[in-house]
Amino acid sequence: MEKIFKNSSVIVAIIAVILMFVVLSMGTKEEMEEISLTQFTQQINDGQVESIVVKPGGEIEIELKDNDVVQKTNKEPDASLTETLINLGVDEEKLKAVPISVETRSGASMWATVLIPSLLPILIIGGLIFFMMKHAMKGNSQAMSFGSSKARMIDPKDKKNKTGFKDVAGNKEAKEELGEIVDFLKAPKKFHDLGAKIPKGVLLLGRPGTGKTLLARAVAGEANVPFFTISGSEFVEMFVGVGASRVRDLFKEAKKNSPSIIFIDEIDAVGRQRGTGLGGGHDEREQTLNQILVEMDGFDNKTNVILIAATNRPDVLDPALLRPGRFDRRVTIDLPDIQDRKAILVIHAKDKKMADDVDLGRIAQRTPGFSGADLMNLMNEGALLAGRYNKKEVEMIDLIESIEKVLLGPARKNKRLDERETKIVAYHEAGHAVVGASLENADPVQKVSIISRGSAGGYTLSVPEKDKSLHSRAYFVDELSVFLGGYVAEQMIFGDVTTGPSNDLERATKLARSIVTQYGMSDLGVRTFGKHEDLIFLGREVAEDKDYSEKTAEAIDKEILKFITIAKKRTEDLLTQKRDVLDKIAQTLLKKETIEKDEFDAIIAGEEYEEKEVVKNDDVKEKEVIDEIDVIVDNKKE
């Protein structure tokens, strides 16, 4: 019954069915001509009546001999039909010749016409009461389960959702660390016999998209144990004590299913440092954190329940959460290097139809700084792009274009600038490219384009030949010059500057400040200046602790300006020396909109470039349109 009365729409449907039953039970009456008893008597005397049917309530149906016409009339309910007709002067002999039948009221008809109209309002009211009571009971049950854990358990027997280390590319060191957790869950006795205690908590640290959640699921899949997953924000509610109750329920369920793994994603949502002055000791978030600390202290070493948590903000976590005995082990998950990126691309390419020209190693080389999630998105965008152009396979050009789409956004080819603005953008990007190709420590230029992407009117794609973990002062100085290449080129060619270089100037200023205040690479000495602090309850950087005087602040500003001024002078000298190369690149961009690496290197070297015939996605789309036009023309000729 509860499934039938699941919602109000079901009740409305039931009422409609009852009404339909009533209508059908009462029957449908054809439109009949109503006559008087005097006319009826005359018809009998004239011999026009074929048959007579007397119905309950005194209604009489008359079937005539001609054309099977049916008429009706009414008599007094208490008087008999024969007596009434004789009193009206009907011929008795002719009356006897007409067959007369009398209908009695059936049980079904009585229910339909008497009881159902009376019971229908009762049924409707009863259904509404039942519906309201059901929802009230449901609300009570939800109130009773309000403090229950909302964690989702992934059963190890579920082969479809099972994840192993083979599904995680790269992160070899992290997998080795987590491999010990798997060994402990599979064979805890060998550790206990040695007197070893497995860490109660493992904290996964890394940037967003690096695979923290995937690694946690891989641990559960390799160990073949139940996996309880929940987000840190799911503990916190507006009612005090609910989060702590859910924590208790979560650990209780995990102990029942031990050996098991509890995974709390984004633990910084509840594990932020206490004592910030917001909410005091009765803050719901702090109560939840206190309960997590208590449960981790209460872990029995023989229960085989391990807590894995993930965060990209370890700096805001409470020290009590990080002390030995709670999260004993911290596993840092870095951005993948070139080999790891290639391995990740191979995994995401398994379920896609790839063309023979696809070189995943080249894609990995052009994607430094991409996380695992970025690479997955890149492969998916490539497949979507191939599908847009009705291709049967994903080609290399689709993946190359997807890199730029992930980095800068989709190309806005419909955004048309006027001739002067297009020329400004061309020289701006040419300035970046020429400076980047002329400086030894700058990243090599891979592509230059004046096609708008995102908020940028054009872009110069510079990618290092190999991954870098450390950057030198010389690299930063060269990068400052590259940032100012567009600004100087506009000023040199047009005698004025536009708002185009605003983002370049912002990046240059930020880099120069970091050189002076963070990296100790200036003449102010080998020290840092300032300390950034987070206001925990706001969750973002909002304050800087100045550990230097106002006089030093003035010196810092002068030093920042000196770095930018020297970089600008250096950029001006380079572009003046290579004015002919600058003009050639700008003119090529105005003609073709995009310059790839091979052609760009040839222009820089002063060599002639023999353009290879490469079919681009735009050419494919244009060719399809031309083919359609040719077909129409041929048909007209025929």
Side-chain angles (χ1 to χ4, degrees), residues 21-177:
F21 175 73
V22 172
V23 172
L24 292 175
S25 299
M26 296 178 67
T28 57
K29 298 182 181 180
E30 298 180 1
E31 291 293 330
M32 293 182 290
E33 181 185 357
E34 188 170 356
I35 62 174
S36 64
L37 287 174
T38 305
Q39 292 174 314
F40 179 33
T41 303
Q42 187 63 40
Q43 288 174 347
I44 295 175
N45 291 334
D46 294 340
Q48 298 176 0
V49 179
E50 178 71 24
S51 64
I52 299 172
V53 179
V54 181
K55 293 195 170 188
E59 184 177 335
I60 301 171
E61 284 188 5
I62 308 151
E63 184 178 353
L64 303 179
K65 294 179 179 179
D66 297 335
N67 301 325
D68 295 329
V69 177
V70 178
Q71 296 175 333
K72 70 175 181 178
T73 186
N74 290 282
K75 68 176 186 65
E76 295 180 5
D78 297 334
S80 66
L81 177 61
T82 304
E83 181 182 354
T84 302
L85 292 176
I86 291 174
N87 292 336
L88 291 173
V90 73
D91 190 339
E92 293 186 17
E93 294 298 327
K94 291 185 177 181
L95 179 61
K96 290 178 182 180
V98 179
I100 300 175
S101 60
V102 179
E103 287 187 359
T104 58
R105 183 173 304 210
S106 64
S109 177
M110 182 182 66
W111 276 92
T113 57
V114 179
L115 294 180
I116 288 183
S118 303
L119 291 175
L120 186 59
I122 299 175
L123 291 174
I124 295 174
I125 294 172
L128 293 174
I129 293 174
F130 179 82
F131 177 73
M132 290 186 291
M133 290 294 294
K134 178 178 176 293
H135 275 263
M137 292 175 64
K138 185 178 179 181
N140 290 335
S141 64
Q142 287 180 346
M144 295 298 292
S145 63
F146 200 60
S148 300
S149 169
K150 292 186 177 181
R152 297 162 295 282
M153 187 183 82
I154 299 177
D155 197 316
K157 297 178 182 179
D158 186 3
K159 302 298 182 183
K160 292 183 180 179
N161 293 321
K162 191 173 182 179
T163 305
F165 283 146
K166 62 180 176 58
D167 300 313
V168 184
N171 292 312
K172 295 179 181 179
E173 295 78 9
K175 286 192 282 190
E176 288 177 1
E177 290 286 324

Side-chain angles (χ1 to χ4, degrees), residues 472-473 475-481 483-484 503-525 527-529 553 555-568:
S472 64
R473 182 180 186 274
Y475 171 77
F476 287 141
V477 170
D478 285 358
E479 281 295 296
L480 281 176
S481 296
F483 287 152
L484 297 176
N503 181 253
D504 299 330
L505 298 178
E506 182 180 349
R507 294 168 66 191
T509 304
K510 185 176 180 180
L511 178 57
R513 177 170 288 278
S514 297
I515 292 172
V516 175
T517 61
Q518 293 184 36
Y519 306 138
M521 296 178 177
S522 69
D523 295 337
L524 294 181
R527 59 158 292 185
T528 61
F529 299 91
I556 290 173
D557 291 338
K558 290 181 179 179
E559 195 72 13
I560 292 171
L561 184 59
K562 185 175 79 172
F563 269 100
I564 295 176
T565 303
I566 292 174
K568 181 174 179 289

Side-chain angles (χ1 to χ4, degrees), residues 155-225:
D155 197 316
K157 297 178 182 179
D158 186 3
K159 302 298 182 183
K160 292 183 180 179
N161 293 321
K162 191 173 182 179
T163 305
F165 283 146
K166 62 180 176 58
D167 300 313
V168 184
N171 292 312
K172 295 179 181 179
E173 295 78 9
K175 286 192 282 190
E176 288 177 1
E177 290 286 324
L178 295 172
E180 291 184 8
I181 305 297
V182 175
D183 290 341
F184 175 79
L185 291 171
K186 285 184 174 180
K189 188 174 183 301
K190 71 176 183 179
F191 292 96
H192 290 154
D193 291 344
L194 293 170
K197 296 180 181 178
I198 202 70
K200 294 180 180 180
V202 179
L203 186 62
L204 304 180
L205 310 174
R207 296 184 184 182
T210 50
K212 300 184 290 295
T213 304
L214 186 63
L215 270 173
R217 292 189 62 174
V219 172
E222 293 289 337
N224 202 33
V225 297

Side-chain angles (χ1 to χ4, degrees), residues 424-454:
I424 291 174
V425 173
Y427 271 97
H428 179 104
E429 299 303 332
H432 286 305
V434 171
V435 175
S438 303
L439 297 176
E440 181 182 357
N441 299 294
D443 294 330
V445 177
Q446 300 289 337
K447 184 175 183 178
V448 188
S449 177
I450 58 172
I451 297 175
S452 298
R453 284 185 180 271

Side-chain angles (χ1 to χ4, degrees), residues 304-368:
N304 298 345
V305 177
I306 294 177
L307 176 63
I308 301 178
T311 182
N312 52 16
R313 295 293 309 275
D315 54 311
V316 302
L317 294 180
D318 193 277
L321 197 62
L322 302 176
R323 73 158 176 80
R326 288 187 177 125
F327 282 109
D328 309 88
R329 180 168 297 185
R330 304 180 194 178
V331 179
T332 302
I333 304 173
D334 296 319
L335 289 172
D337 58 20
I338 185 170
Q339 296 299 328
D340 291 342
R341 290 198 298 274
K342 184 177 179 180
I344 292 171
L345 290 169
V346 169
I347 288 178
H348 293 303
K350 285 181 180 179
D351 59 342
K352 296 175 177 63
K353 293 182 180 179
M354 312 301 292
D356 295 334
D357 67 336
V358 172
D359 184 358
L360 295 180
R362 187 177 163 199
I363 298 297
Q365 185 179 4
R366 296 189 69 166
T367 53

Side-chain angles (χ1 to χ4, degrees), residues 489-504:
E490 288 187 22
Q491 194 175 47
M492 178 185 298
I493 302 301
F494 302 100
D496 196 4
V497 291
T498 66
T499 57
S502 59
N503 181 253
D504 299 330

